[in-house]
Amino acid sequence: MSGGMLISILAAAVSSGTPVLFAALGELVCERAGVLNLGVEGMMLVGAVSGFLATVRTGNIWVGVMAAVAAGGLMGLIHAFMSISLRVNQVVSGLALTLFGTGVSGFLGKSVIGVPLPAQFRAVAIPGLSSIPVLGPILFRHDLMVYLTFILVPALWYLLYRTRPGLHLRAVGESPQTADALGVNVFAIRYVSVIAGGMLAGLGGAYLSMAYAPSWIESMTAGRGWIAVALVIFAVWDPVRAMIGSYLFGGVDALGFRIQVMGSGVSSFFLKMLPYVFTIAVLIIVTATASKRSSRAPEALGLPYERE
Amino acid sequence: MRLAVEKRETTSQAFRFFSPFAAVLLSLLFGAAFLWASGLNPLKVYSTMWWGAFGDAYGVSETFVTAIPIMLCALGIALAAKMLLWNVGAEGQFHMGAFAAASVALSMPKAPAWQVLPLMAMAGMAGGAIWALIPGIPRAYLGVNEIITTLMLNYVAIYWVEYLVHGPWRDPGSLNFPLSAPFSDAARLPALFGSRVHAGILFALVAAAAIFVVLSRTKWGYEITVIGENPKAARYAGMNIERNVVLVMCLAGALAGLAGMAEVSAIAGRMTRQLSPGYGYSAIIVAWLAKLNPWAVVIVSVLFGGLLVGGYSAQFIGVSAASVNMLQGLMLFFVLAVEAAGRYRVRVVRQAEAEAEE
């Protein structure tokens, strides 16, 4: 493989990994606060269709982005109400959210199948940085949404580990009783986290339909929401590792696509399986090799909090 | 003044019986709002769906035909869920069961029915079981999250079937359609009562009876219930959780695989890529609507078959297929919400009381 081709695959890995990264960061925040959200796939789809619809109607991508964020947040609100207020089983609520999101996005998007997007995100080379050899073309010739993740990841890391709200958020996910006793509002923090998680998943969906593959196709996320959930386990609930994991997934995705285009003789169906097989393999390896201490999920993950 | 959500001491028997109906009703109401907002007349849509599914002999027969795969998949999902195992991979297990059964049918074109059909059923169950063991064994011994692995394997199984019907299995006589060669007549599961309802319904009823007996009458069923309710206590009592996880996943996969065998043999009669409109996903909702009770699964599956068949009819008056999926998701939400309403009551707490509580 030539150097130029390697660089172009790595650059493709970044853009292919970006929608998953948004969703994974959202899930990470949600799980850090102790709520398991298996509705990411549905949230991404609703975000993708809302962003696309709003952009088609208004011709403005930023309105599209806002619509996707709002729609994802609304889905988050539903999950928050179900799992935090009604204290229902979070697994089933998340599955319901995914089924509902798949249906509702197909329903809403029916009118725009095959419709071109009037405006879309385009690559903007960052002056200076984009001319760094190797790194420049891989990282700094993308669209604004990719650059947004470059800010989001360190910001989230800082929020979680270096600020008071971050400390509270982690406490709520580890031991809601203790946090409550110290005067932290467990319910409020969980609500905010789940809604914020939904907004990020919505952004991930919008990236798919407005930048990565500018179009609306039913179920176009193709399991990326589930891969995002798996990535959070891989990432040991850490934003920086979530970024690495997303690009790894993106790399496998991009590589499969390249091999297909080159006409290697391998059936395209096997190449399409690659990201899923890769995710299963990584999940098994990570779970098997990580020591119990370092790979521990937030203690209260999935457990509804009941004030005594 | 504020609202307090409090736990109820008990839930009445009547509430527990009627709550699923309330959930269905509420989701139909919400669905109506969606339909109305998109310019359709909800009453007309629902009546078209009802008549399409239950209005005549053909509709009823289609409803049962659609219910069969859902029933088999949901029985396995419900059994696993009793142990807090989340098998969301019935869709993939269904496809691998269909693939294994089709391999038998295509490789024995001359064999008589009494040879080929039992072999197909066994292959179907084995195919589904193996597909469930791939996530089942890592779940049992390493604690690998089975929700994600079972779900990922759905995509892999569907691409595998697509590969077969586009590639090595494609019938040259199919005019370039992605279809395998048709099965021999001996490899077709017989229909019953002169309708399209096939012998797969007997598989489902036998499975429901067997699961009911196992859960309510055997030591093993007791173990499953205890592991699901309190794994720590089960471990303390010396129950082998790992072995049970593997066994239950294996059974759940076998049932979904059998559903795939029945579908490919009785309905399609050849391998195609459109064997399931998401039976494995509908089955998840059915299992929860039925509260994991095997007999309730049988009944709810028929109602769900009606929902899907009614959905096809509604497409003729401009309702998209996706709205049926939406309705399914809504139902699952309302099952949860109504169940929660049974466990909690909302009470208005007045200022003085609130202060007294502090």
Side-chain angles (χ1 to χ4, degrees):
Chain A
M1 204 184 300
S2 72
M5 202 160 111
L6 187 65
I7 286 174
S8 92
I9 288 179
L10 290 177
V14 171
S15 57
S16 174
T18 295
V20 188
L21 176 58
F22 276 118
L25 291 176
E27 181 69 16
L28 194 148
V29 170
C30 187
E31 290 194 14
R32 276 284 186 167
V35 181
L36 179 66
N37 174 15
L38 297 182
V40 191
E41 179 82 1
M43 290 172 156
M44 282 183 88
L45 278 169
V46 168
V49 83
S50 314
F52 192 85
L53 275 170
T55 309
V56 167
R57 295 277 153 79
T58 63
N60 184 327
I61 37 173
W62 296 108
V63 176
V65 168
M66 299 303 275
V69 170
L74 199 65
M75 295 280 280
L77 178 65
I78 299 175
H79 188 60
F81 178 70
M82 298 293 281
S83 56
I84 302 166
S85 295
L86 293 182
R87 304 168 176 93
V88 304
N89 186 316
Q90 293 175 11
V91 174
V92 192
S93 170
L95 290 174
L97 207 62
T98 285
L99 287 165
F100 176 71
T102 311
V104 98
S105 63
F107 183 73
L108 294 174
K110 199 163 191 274
S111 60
V112 287
I113 294 175
V115 172
L117 201 63
Q120 69 188 62
F121 283 101
R122 297 202 187 280
V124 183
I126 298 183
L129 289 177
S130 63
S131 46
I132 303 173
V134 187
L135 274 187
I138 294 175
L139 291 175
F140 301 113
R141 292 181 193 170
H142 290 283
D143 53 74
L144 293 175
M145 293 272 271
V146 173
Y147 301 143
L148 176 61
T149 60
F150 293 176
I151 301 167
L152 208 54
V153 171
L156 197 57
W157 182 89
Y158 186 80
L159 171 81
L160 279 176
Y161 300 113
R162 292 286 181 274
T163 69
R164 220 177 151 69
L167 180 69
H168 289 172
L169 192 145
R170 285 184 291 137
V172 159
E174 291 293 342
S175 174
Q177 287 81 5
T178 317
D180 197 0
L182 292 172
V184 176
N185 190 335
V186 176
F187 295 99
I189 287 191
R190 286 196 167 173
Y191 257 92
V192 169
S193 307
V194 177
I195 293 170
M199 289 172 158
L200 285 168
L203 259 182
Y207 188 80
L208 266 183
S209 68
M210 294 166 60
Y212 186 67
S215 61
W216 166 253
I217 303 158
E218 255 185 53
S219 301
M220 70 184 296
T221 48
R224 284 184 179 81
W226 294 101
I227 289 171
V229 178
L231 276 176
V232 175
I233 301 172
F234 166 83
V236 208
W237 294 266
D238 175 78
V240 178
R241 289 194 53 161
M243 190 175 206
I244 298 168
S246 300
Y247 293 162
L248 220 70
F249 159 81
V252 173
D253 199 33
L255 194 67
F257 187 71
R258 280 306 145 92
I259 298 172
Q260 199 175 323
V261 171
M262 287 188 318
S264 63
V266 180
S267 164
S268 67
F269 297 108
F270 289 119
L271 299 172
K272 283 183 189 161
M273 286 179 198
L274 267 182
Y276 309 107
V277 175
F278 174 75
T279 305
I280 295 171
V282 165
L283 201 59
I284 292 177
I285 293 167
V286 166
T287 318
T289 55
S291 68
K292 283 280 173 267
R293 260 184 70 82
S294 70
S295 71
R296 206 171 49 82
E299 192 78 28
L301 181 60
L303 303 173
Y305 178 56
E306 199 109 30
R307 208 172 179 174
E308 293 305 324
Chain B
M1 207 169 84
R2 64 187 177 90
L3 291 177
V5 181
E6 296 175 343
K7 215 169 196 149
R8 277 184 211 269
E9 299 301 318
T10 54
T11 314
S12 75
Q13 196 73 38
F15 183 90
R16 264 185 286 175
F17 181 78
F18 284 112
S19 62
F21 297 99
V24 170
L25 207 67
L26 280 169
S27 43
L28 288 177
L29 274 175
F30 258 75
F34 271 106
L35 292 170
W36 186 71
S38 64
L40 293 155
N41 176 351
L43 278 178
K44 192 175 164 219
V45 172
Y46 285 151
S47 73
T48 309
M49 285 176 73
W50 173 263
W51 289 109
F54 299 104
D56 54 17
Y58 177 77
V60 173
S61 141
E62 283 308 290
T63 293
F64 272 90
V65 167
T66 313
I68 294 167
I70 299 178
M71 222 181 270
L72 280 164
C73 292
L75 285 168
I77 292 169
L79 183 68
K82 277 260 175 204
M83 256 175 60
L84 297 185
L85 267 180
W86 304 96
N87 176 26
V88 283
E91 187 76 1
Q93 292 144 20
F94 172 98
H95 277 87
M96 290 319 263
F99 150 68
S103 315
V104 172
L106 292 171
S107 61
M108 302 173 66
K110 298 250 163 20
W114 65 269
Q115 280 178 358
V116 70
L117 281 177
L119 275 175
M120 282 171 76
M122 279 189 277
M125 289 200 282
I130 291 169
W131 211 241
L133 282 179
I134 300 174
I137 292 173
R139 159 64 217 254
Y141 295 97
L142 301 169
V144 177
N145 186 320
E146 79 281 11
I147 305 174
I148 296 161
T149 47
T150 51
L151 211 121
M152 293 284 106
L153 285 172
N154 289 344
Y155 291 95
V156 177
I158 290 166
Y159 282 130
W160 171 245
V161 168
E162 291 225 18
Y163 161 70
L164 288 176
V165 294
H166 279 98
W169 280 16
R170 166 137 60 185
D171 178 21
S174 71
L175 303 170
N176 264 338
F177 284 110
L179 300 166
S180 80
F183 297 169
S184 71
D185 286 343
R188 301 295 301 269
L189 203 59
L192 308 172
F193 328 114
S195 66
R196 290 219 310 156
V197 180
H198 52 83
I201 196 159
L202 303 177
F203 300 163
L205 293 176
V206 169
I211 290 174
F212 173 77
V213 169
V214 163
L215 284 178
S216 61
R217 300 268 185 280
T218 67
K219 183 167 166 286
W220 183 42
Y222 177 71
E223 278 194 14
I224 289 177
T225 315
V226 173
I227 292 172
E229 277 165 9
N230 192 343
K232 276 190 189 138
R235 172 94 60 204
Y236 190 70
M239 293 175 188
N240 189 335
I241 297 181
E242 289 80 11
R243 200 187 57 195
N244 274 306
V245 166
V246 170
L247 262 174
V248 165
M249 277 304 272
C250 198
L251 262 176
L255 287 169
L258 189 61
M261 174 270 171
E263 199 69 12
V264 76
S265 164
I267 302 298
R270 66 205 311 176
M271 200 65 190
T272 85
R273 61 193 184 85
Q274 284 142 335
L275 282 174
S276 158
Y279 290 138
Y281 297 107
S282 300
I284 301 170
I285 308 168
V286 168
W288 283 94
L289 268 173
K291 300 189 168 175
L292 313 184
N293 174 315
W295 292 122
V297 163
V298 171
I299 297 164
V300 178
S301 300
V302 174
L303 295 177
F304 238 74
L307 180 70
L308 293 179
V309 172
Y312 301 136
S313 322
Q315 285 181 39
F316 294 110
I317 56 167
V319 179
S320 75
S323 33
V324 175
N325 290 334
M326 195 174 72
L327 217 51
Q328 294 187 25
L330 278 174
M331 277 185 196
L332 198 46
F333 270 128
F334 283 110
V335 172
L336 292 173
V338 171
E339 210 173 89
R343 282 185 288 122
Y344 301 97
R345 65 165 165 247
V346 179
R347 196 167 61 93
V348 179
V349 182
R350 286 193 202 85
Q351 197 61 47
E353 273 183 77
E355 274 165 18
E357 273 179 25
E358 290 297 317

